Amino acid sequence: MTKRLLFAANWKMHLGPTGAAAFLDGFLPEFTPRDDREVWLFPPALTLPSVVARVAGTGIVCGAQNVHWEEAGAFTGEVSVPLAADAGAEAVLIGHSERRHVFGETDKETGLKLRASLTGGLRPVFCVGETLDERESGATVEVVTRQLGVLAGLTPANLSTTVIAYEPVWAIGTGKTATTGDAARVHSAIREWMIEHAAPPEAVRVLYGGSVKPGNVVELVAEAEIDGVLVGGASLKAESWSEIVNAHVD
Ligand code: PGA
């Protein structure tokens, strides 16, 4: 069976409604839905509704970049799962390395967000990855396994809904990419962990993220362990994102 590749765009704090409209003017004419590929977009929260409206009927899934675990209340500046869903989100990024390392999000918080997302019907993309120091001290698998720990106890159905993104912190926005072999080893450890924790093997999806661009995407997704990519910088321009999504893979 050919795998169904997932191409996810994390726009981070870029592209407001105006910028996103211009992006979609360039991207949508280049996009043709395909059975063997999924495209998910993670715009900033303020941009989400306009993107949802614009991609309606294309099969493109839109998601939030972050959520709070409480359903509602006095949490100024936060977005809850029901609010994101009401704005058209179907997916959510959880535990992105910038949330963990810039905003100090803990494993416990990623776990709360993950469970709230699953309860509220959003499909989580759960991000894991080691820092350069952790990598150099040989702790990559240990760190990733610790981060995955918050998924322990989820039902097989919830594990099937959850996509994992392996994003080595040292490769994000730096132009450095893990070698395909390095990524494959970590992906394989993640897959094993998921299966040991009751995920149906055929449902486990592990994306790679970190300086993915048109020039390296083919090699990455051709690797059996890599089920797709989570892309930051190269997803912000219609031209490079089109090249990534339409990459020719044998
Ligand atoms: P990058 O970001 O592609 O710009 O390295 C990836 C990410 O942070 O998800």
Side-chain angles (χ1 to χ4, degrees):
M1 193 185 77
T2 349
K3 61 183 177 179
R4 190 147 201 248
L5 293 170
L6 201 169
F7 295 84
N10 173 13
W11 289 352
K12 309 192 182 186
M13 202 166 71
H14 301 283
L15 300 183
T18 313
F23 171 93
L24 292 170
D25 286 344
F27 172 62
L28 289 178
E30 302 299 322
F31 172 71
T32 312
R34 296 171 50 157
D35 288 344
D36 62 344
R37 295 188 182 188
E38 288 178 49
V39 174
W40 294 15
L41 301 177
F42 293 91
L46 288 172
T47 308
L48 180 68
S50 64
V51 175
V52 168
R54 197 58 201 282
V55 304
T58 62
I60 293 174
V61 167
C62 296
Q65 295 176 9
N66 178 39
V67 281
H68 195 274
W69 54 88
E70 293 289 348
E71 282 194 8
F75 300 100
T76 302
E78 293 292 322
V79 170
S80 68
V81 172
L83 290 181
D86 188 23
E90 295 178 75
V92 59
L93 297 179
I94 306 281
H96 187 275
S97 75
E98 285 144 23
R99 299 301 321 166
R100 295 177 188 270
H101 298 291
V102 181
F103 298 101
E105 194 169 296
T106 62
D107 287 328
K108 182 162 178 247
E109 288 167 341
T110 65
L112 291 168
K113 292 177 179 199
L114 181 81
R115 280 170 173 74
S117 299
L118 288 164
T119 304
L122 296 185
R123 294 190 259 171
V125 175
F126 187 78
C127 305
V128 296
E130 81 288 4
T131 63
L132 188 57
D133 280 355
E134 290 164 340
R135 179 178 194 83
E136 285 174 348
S137 65
T140 298
V141 172
E142 189 188 316
V143 169
V144 166
T145 305
R146 191 204 77 227
Q147 293 168 332
L148 287 173
V150 303
L151 277 69
L154 290 184
T155 61
N158 278 339
L159 287 168
S160 302
T161 310
T162 305
V163 174
I164 309 297
Y166 169 56
E167 298 202 305
V169 179
W170 50 270
I172 295 179
T174 57
K176 294 186 190 131
T177 325
T179 63
T180 308
D182 279 347
R185 272 188 290 282
V186 184
H187 280 226
S188 149
I190 292 171
R191 197 176 302 280
E192 264 172 45
W193 190 97
M194 292 287 281
I195 294 168
E196 273 165 24
H197 288 79
E202 69 286 357
V204 177
R205 293 206 279 182
V206 188
L207 312 183
Y208 172 79
S211 298
V212 175
K213 43 189 183 286
N216 59 20
V217 67
V218 172
E219 188 193 343
L220 287 163
V221 298
E223 161 58 49
E225 284 290 343
I226 299 180
D227 301 306
V229 285
L230 177 56
V231 186
S235 74
L236 293 172
K237 293 255 164 36
E239 197 182 17
S240 49
W241 181 237
S242 308
E243 272 187 70
I244 289 173
V245 165
N246 296 321
H248 178 78
V249 185
D250 289 326

